[in-house]
Amino acid sequence: MQHEEQLQKLEVELREVTKNKEKLRKNLLELIEYTHMLRVTKSLVKRNVEFEPTYEEFPPLENDSLLDYSCMQRLGAKLGFVSGLINQGKVEAFEKMLWRVCKGYTIVTYAELDESLEDPETGEVIKWYVFLISFWGEQIGYKVKKICDCYHCHIYPYPNTAEERREIQEGLNTRIQDLYTVLHKTEDYLRQVLCKAAESVYSRVVQVKKMKAIYHMLNMCSFDVTNKCLIAEVWCPEADLPELRRALEDGSILRSLFTIITFPFLFAVMFGDFGHGFVMFLFALLLVLNENHPRLKQSQEIWNLATNRLTFLNSFKMKMSVILGIIHMTFGVTLGIFNHLHFRKKFNVYLVSVPELLFMLCIFGYLIFMIIYKWLGYSAATSRVAPSILIEFINMFLFPASATVGLYPGQEHVQRLLLVVTALSVPVLFLGKPLFLLWLHNGRSCFGVSRSGYTLVRKDSEEEVSLLGSQDIEEGNTQMEDGCREVTNEEFNFGEILMTQVIHSIEYCLGCISNTASYLRLWALSLAHAQLSDVLWAMLMRVGLRVDTTYGVLLLLPVIAFFAVLTIFILLVMEGLSAFLHAIRLHWVEFQNKFYVGAGTKFVPFSFNLLSSKFSHDNLA
């Protein structure tokens, strides 16, 4: 904090002194221009203050090489002068504009300066012309001054007499000498301040490097917006573990927010006894309270006893598992878009995520559409003539010669359009990202392998090297260091990038099929849980309830106890553990592989000794 305050004071002081120096330098350049203007214009006009006008015919002006002021006085008009300097490239246009606007009531005389002067406004060294404009009347003089402003001329007062010219020249010489003296003292003061600041620059550079290295390590942490804290997984010496725990006792660890929602839901699909006793109590209470309701006396309350109950539930649960699985995987691909935006890799959104979504939705999203359409488009009365979704889905890729029944009109054209979109997304998914990184690599000059202020603790991937190059170009860092191109060529390997993307694309395309089939475990475990519940009920409770009432009570007590034991160990413990493991697998394999890489970072212990002790301009950039 102390160094920051000192640097801020030094910066303010240097800015103020530099600003004053620039003002003094600008004034000096203007005074130098004024002296050149007085020197050149002295020979442009012959002025005889003691001239007495006589009535004689004066010679034509075009015959005089120089303007004779005495001739102007004979005209009996009020003569005015405007003098200054103009850029060499604007002389011709300036003269034409004066002639057109002033209609010939001006006389312009030029003289080129022998030496180039620095422009006080821009600092550019250019050639100048000294001009002297003679005009008659105030209106003409106003127009002349406006034109001079438009052409950015440097106007200076023109002396009326030789005595006034001499006084101005002497004053200018005095002020120029004073400004030279002040400028030299200002430069000496700046040199002293900078030398004093340079004495401690080495120690400050080391401290800045350490601070930036610490912030670099902190940037690897995750930021919890809710608790306003940093979350990180770190290695810690065992001896410092109690102290670390005391420092982090108020911290919290938050895992995936979406898993908190989806995991219990998928678990409940496979294991339907979550809150079993409480739900059954509420449902029984509801039935008792509404026992006399007319709807409960209708025939629909014996549906669970239908002969096709198992067939209907199996088909429904199988299709529901496919729908949930495709929605879950599509959501995972969508989360990958937010990852790419967070890491500032927008090209991955267009070249990876969008083709993946098109591939997923055009094939498996269309499968969901057919399932829902069949549910809504066909009733129990027309279910026998409803086409098979599996056959229709297979025919989508086989292009059968004979026309099929189809689910809806125009189905063949829609399916072909979806296949075309799918076929176009595959080459983009395979080649889009590698070709883009290759173009980015070849189209940039050099991007280096180190970032400012600290040394990277791990080797960048080819993708990160290319992105660093584009970022350097955007920020204007176009300076190429010696040997930089060779380092870049060694680190960027197009073949490795292409192979990695091809493997990822093949894994994704084939994984969409295998992962969708993997979600059928929702159906399988749900069916297993339901059938085990039915078996336990049929073999134990139903037998106990059918015994004669005389001895049924005595037999029912051990049956209930045995039923409770089997329910706890088989349905709750075994089935619960099975559903738990399968739900974890669906999240880890089928869901998280759509957006989570988890390659990890090589562990490098943090140490200030790893920082480069050599100070260079690039390290502070």
Side-chain angles (χ1 to χ4, degrees):
M1 192 66 182
Q2 181 180 2
H3 292 290
E4 184 178 0
E5 293 178 355
Q6 293 178 355
L7 289 176
Q8 289 179 351
K9 293 180 180 179
L10 179 62
E11 181 184 6
V12 172
E13 185 176 6
L14 290 177
R15 287 182 181 275
E16 184 177 356
V17 176
T18 304
K19 185 177 180 180
N20 294 334
K21 177 186 174 183
E22 292 298 326
K23 290 182 178 179
L24 294 174
R25 184 169 174 274
K26 181 180 179 181
N27 293 336
L28 177 62
L29 293 176
E30 291 177 350
L31 295 179
I32 293 176
E33 285 185 353
Y34 199 2
T35 56
H36 283 285
M37 191 274 295
L38 293 176
R39 176 178 58 81
V40 175
T41 56
K42 182 179 181 181
S43 60
L44 293 180
V45 179
K46 294 180 179 179
R47 302 189 63 177
N48 187 0
V49 181
E50 299 178 355
F51 176 77
E52 294 293 339
T54 59
Y55 295 97
E56 61 181 10
E57 184 177 356
F58 50 85
L61 294 177
E62 58 270 15
N63 295 332
D64 292 345
S65 59
L66 299 176
L67 294 178
D68 194 344
Y69 183 69
S70 60
C71 297
M72 302 300 178
Q73 286 182 337
R74 300 179 201 175
L75 298 177
K78 185 177 181 181
L79 186 64
F81 292 91
V82 173
S83 59
L85 283 79
I86 187 172
N87 192 341
Q88 182 181 10
K90 301 179 181 180
V91 173
E92 184 177 356
F94 179 65
E95 187 175 8
K96 290 181 179 180
M97 182 61 68
L98 284 173
W99 177 260
R100 293 172 183 175
V101 175
C102 300
K103 300 179 181 180
Y105 288 97
T106 58
I107 299 177
V108 184
T109 307
Y110 299 100
E112 182 180 359
L113 288 180
D114 298 333
E115 54 182 319
S116 300
L117 298 179
E118 185 177 346
D119 190 350
E121 299 294 336
T122 62
E124 182 182 2
V125 179
I126 55 178
K127 290 292 292 184
W128 295 92
Y129 268 75
V130 175
F131 65 88
L132 179 62
I133 304 174
S134 305
F135 60 87
W136 291 269
E138 295 182 357
Q139 294 294 330
I140 300 298
Y142 176 77
K143 294 180 180 180
V144 169
K145 294 178 181 179
K146 293 293 290 183
I147 294 175
C148 292
D149 293 337
C150 293
Y151 281 85
H152 302 285
C153 301
H154 297 175
I155 305 300
Y156 297 99
Y158 185 78
N160 295 323
T161 62
E163 182 66 25
E164 185 179 354
R165 179 189 297 272
R166 185 170 52 256
E167 293 177 357
I168 293 176
Q169 188 69 47
E170 293 176 356
L172 289 176
N173 294 333
T174 304
R175 292 181 59 187
I176 289 175
Q177 294 298 326
D178 295 340
L179 285 176
Y180 272 122
T181 303
V182 175
L183 281 175
H184 284 308
K185 292 184 178 179
T186 303
E187 291 177 354
D188 292 339
Y189 176 74
L190 284 175
R191 190 178 299 105
Q192 294 176 3
V193 173
L194 293 176
C195 291
K196 185 177 181 181
E199 295 176 357
S200 60
V201 68
Y202 180 78
S203 60
R204 291 181 179 179
V205 167
V206 174
Q207 293 176 357
V208 170
K209 286 183 179 179
K210 290 183 178 181
M211 293 174 63
K212 295 184 71 174
I214 293 174
Y215 279 112
H216 171 64
M217 301 304 296
L218 292 177
N219 288 336
M220 296 182 180
C221 302
S222 301
F223 181 69
D224 186 0
V225 182
T226 305
N227 297 326
K228 297 182 179 179
C229 62
L230 294 176
I231 302 176
E233 296 180 1
V234 299
W235 291 89
C236 175
E238 186 177 358
D240 298 335
L241 190 58
E243 183 179 356
L244 179 63
R245 287 178 176 174
R246 287 193 300 268
L248 301 177
E249 59 183 3
D250 296 332
S252 60
I253 301 177
L254 180 62
R255 299 300 180 185
S256 176
L257 176 63
F258 310 106
T259 305
I260 296 175
I261 300 174
T262 58
F263 180 83
F265 182 77
L266 297 182
F267 177 81
V269 172
M270 294 182 286
F271 184 73
D273 284 348
F274 180 75
H276 181 77
F278 185 68
V279 173
M280 289 186 64
F281 169 76
L282 293 179
F283 186 69
L285 180 62
L286 182 64
L287 293 178
V288 171
L289 295 178
N290 298 277
E291 182 180 3
N292 297 325
H293 197 279
R295 292 186 178 180
L296 296 180
K297 295 182 179 181
Q298 298 177 0
S299 60
Q300 282 83 354
E301 67 178 359
I302 60 171
W303 158 249
N304 198 42
L305 302 178
T307 58
N308 64 339
R309 175 180 66 89
L310 185 60
T311 304
F312 173 79
L313 289 179
N314 283 341
S315 177
F316 177 78
K317 289 182 179 180
M318 179 181 65
K319 295 175 181 177
M320 182 187 65
S321 300
V322 173
I323 294 175
L324 293 177
I326 295 174
I327 293 176
H328 199 211
M329 291 188 296
T330 305
F331 179 61
V333 177
T334 306
L335 288 182
I337 297 178
F338 294 97
N339 276 345
H340 300 323
L341 295 177
H342 174 74
F343 292 109
R344 297 181 180 179
K345 298 179 181 179
K346 293 185 179 180
F347 68 94
N348 278 339
V349 176
Y350 306 106
L351 301 178
V352 178
S353 297
V354 172
E356 288 179 351
L357 282 176
L358 291 177
F359 184 87
M360 176 75 72
L361 296 178
C362 290
I363 297 179
F364 299 97
Y366 180 68
L367 178 61
I368 295 179
F369 168 77
M370 289 195 295
I371 293 174
I372 297 177
Y373 186 88
K374 184 177 179 180
W375 283 347
L376 301 178
Y378 294 89
S379 62
T382 59
S383 61
R384 294 184 179 273
V385 297
S388 173
I389 293 179
L390 181 59
I391 299 300
E392 295 294 331
F393 189 66
I394 294 176
N395 288 338
M396 177 179 177
F397 301 93
L398 297 181
F399 297 104
S402 60
T404 58
V405 178
L407 288 173
Y408 56 90
Q411 177 180 343
E412 181 180 357
H413 302 289
V414 174
Q415 292 178 168
R416 290 186 177 181
L417 176 62
L418 294 177
L419 287 178
V420 170
V421 175
T422 303
L424 293 177
S425 64
V426 171
V428 176
L429 184 60
F430 274 71
L431 302 175
K433 179 178 176 180
L435 293 179
F436 174 79
L437 293 178
L438 179 63
W439 170 84
L440 197 66
H441 173 74
N442 293 333
R444 301 297 186 261
S445 57
C446 182
F447 22 81
V449 294
S450 62
R451 298 189 176 113
S452 58
Y454 53 85
T455 303
L456 290 179
V457 296
R458 62 185 177 89
K459 182 181 178 181
D460 289 343
S461 64
E462 288 79 2
E463 178 181 338
E464 290 175 339
V465 172
S466 298
L467 293 179
L468 282 176
S470 63
Q471 183 179 3
D472 290 342
I473 294 298
E474 292 175 359
E475 294 177 355
N477 300 330
T478 57
Q479 183 178 3
M480 178 183 294
E481 299 178 358
D482 295 335
C484 187
R485 172 61 66 183
E486 288 74 8
V487 174
T488 302
N489 292 335
E490 292 178 0
E491 295 217 358
F492 184 82
N493 191 335
F494 175 74
E496 183 177 349
I497 296 177
L498 179 61
M499 185 60 63
T500 302
Q501 183 62 25
V502 169
I503 294 175
H504 168 76
S505 303
I506 295 176
E507 182 182 7
Y508 175 80
C509 295
L510 297 180
C512 289
I513 303 174
S514 61
N515 294 159
T516 303
S518 182
Y519 276 92
L520 292 176
R521 68 187 68 240
L522 298 174
W523 161 53
L525 269 70
S526 177
L527 176 63
H529 187 83
Q531 292 303 310
L532 284 175
S533 300
D534 289 344
V535 168
L536 289 179
W537 177 263
M539 293 180 62
L540 294 176
M541 293 300 297
R542 186 176 297 177
V543 174
L545 292 175
R546 288 178 178 178
V547 179
D548 186 22
T549 57
T550 304
Y551 304 101
V553 177
L554 298 177
L555 181 62
L556 190 59
L557 291 177
V559 169
I560 293 176
F562 188 52
F563 175 78
V565 171
L566 293 180
T567 300
I568 292 174
F569 282 97
I570 296 179
L571 296 182
L572 296 182
V573 178
M574 294 180 60
E575 285 291 313
L577 180 61
S578 177
F580 175 78
L581 294 177
H582 284 283
I584 288 179
R585 182 246 155 72
L586 288 177
H587 279 81
W588 182 256
V589 179
E590 280 74 22
F591 174 62
Q592 292 187 2
N593 67 354
K594 301 298 185 297
F595 62 91
Y596 178 69
V597 178
T601 302
K602 182 180 178 181
F603 173 70
V604 177
F606 179 76
S607 174
F608 289 116
N609 294 329
L610 298 178
L611 299 178
S612 175
S613 60
K614 183 179 180 181
F615 168 65
S616 62
H617 176 72
D618 295 335
N619 289 334
L620 289 179

